[in-house]
Amino acid sequence: MNKNELRDRMRQIRRNLTKEEVSQKSAAIQRQLFGYDKYQQAKTVMLYLSAFKEPSTAEILKDALESKKRVVVPVSNTDTETLTLSYISDISDLKQGAYGILEPEIIRKAKAEDIDMILVPGIAFDKSGNRMGFGKGYYDKLLCKCGAQKTALCYEFQLMDKIPVKEHDVPMNTIITEDGIYVI
């Protein structure tokens, strides 16, 4: 199966999840993350703002803010297909942005080298830590120049034995699903 076929298949499976399934699986993923020592130790966390039935990051955002972590979120630059990193201090800092995803209304620039952990979305992952994104390379451009702990959040069905990868694809250090934590 090539990358486009796999992306289509994974998107279809995710679209078929019920709200209840997303909620239950997301809560289990959050419990795994909250118990993970690398998350507990991280002082600055970058997280994606979930959409389209991705594992929810709403409670993670709330926990990180309440735990006094510095929180960084991505802002999509559609012209350059890159991410600008911005600090936020409250959920009210967010508005709907590119692709219908929440983004900070006012950008307070953050540096990739200041981030301890990045929570990364994706379409599919494999047991070697490889990640398949959405096909535009936004995250790969960031991840290749960032030394932070790279932690994928995904549903167990998104974790495969092997996925097709390219030279520029950046592997994860850890993958967290509703069923467990996979340290690569």
Side-chain angles (χ1 to χ4, degrees):
M1 184 177 319
N2 69 35
K3 277 190 164 191
N4 288 333
E5 291 169 335
L6 184 54
R7 273 190 191 97
D8 289 345
R9 180 172 162 236
M10 288 293 122
R11 281 187 180 121
Q12 186 59 46
I13 294 170
R14 205 169 68 187
R15 271 193 294 269
N16 289 336
L17 291 173
T18 65
K19 284 184 180 183
E20 185 175 307
E21 288 171 320
V22 170
S23 178
Q24 289 173 349
K25 290 175 186 299
S26 293
I29 291 167
Q30 292 157 12
R31 282 192 300 276
Q32 300 282 358
L33 177 68
F34 294 157
Y36 186 40
D37 62 332
K38 299 267 188 200
Y39 173 77
Q40 293 171 356
Q41 295 162 6
K43 296 194 181 342
T44 302
V45 176
M46 177 183 159
L47 57 93
Y48 66 95
L49 298 163
S50 54
F52 315 114
K53 296 189 177 178
E54 289 174 319
S56 176
T57 57
E59 289 300 315
I60 299 168
L61 175 59
K62 183 178 172 188
D63 177 81
L65 291 170
E66 288 174 358
S67 300
K68 304 297 185 215
K69 295 181 186 296
R70 295 185 79 192
V71 177
V72 176
V73 297
V75 178
S76 298
N77 299 315
T78 56
D79 292 340
T80 59
E81 295 183 343
T82 58
L83 298 173
T84 296
L85 308 181
S86 179
Y87 289 108
I88 64 165
S89 56
D90 192 86
I91 294 169
S92 66
D93 294 346
L94 304 171
K95 66 173 178 67
Q96 197 161 2
Y99 305 109
I101 299 169
L102 291 175
E103 294 181 345
E105 192 162 9
I106 297 169
I107 295 178
R108 296 182 357 233
K109 284 210 175 204
K111 295 179 185 172
E113 59 267 19
D114 293 338
I115 299 169
D116 300 313
M117 175 180 269
I118 297 179
L119 301 180
V120 185
I123 294 289
F125 301 87
D126 71 21
K127 295 178 179 172
S128 297
N130 294 307
R131 170 188 174 270
M132 181 183 298
F134 300 90
K136 299 215 181 239
Y138 282 82
Y139 271 87
D140 286 317
K141 291 170 190 153
L142 169 68
L143 296 174
C144 73
K145 58 184 177 186
C146 184
Q149 166 79 22
K150 296 162 186 70
T151 301
L153 303 181
C154 69
Y155 303 116
E156 190 71 29
F157 70 79
Q158 293 176 280
L159 183 59
M160 314 182 97
D161 289 331
K162 186 139 180 67
I163 61 171
V165 292
K166 291 193 175 173
E167 195 174 290
H168 67 271
D169 292 334
V170 178
M172 302 293 99
N173 305 110
T174 308
I175 298 172
I176 299 179
T177 74
E178 68 271 24
D179 291 345
I181 298 174
Y182 302 87
V183 178
I184 315 302

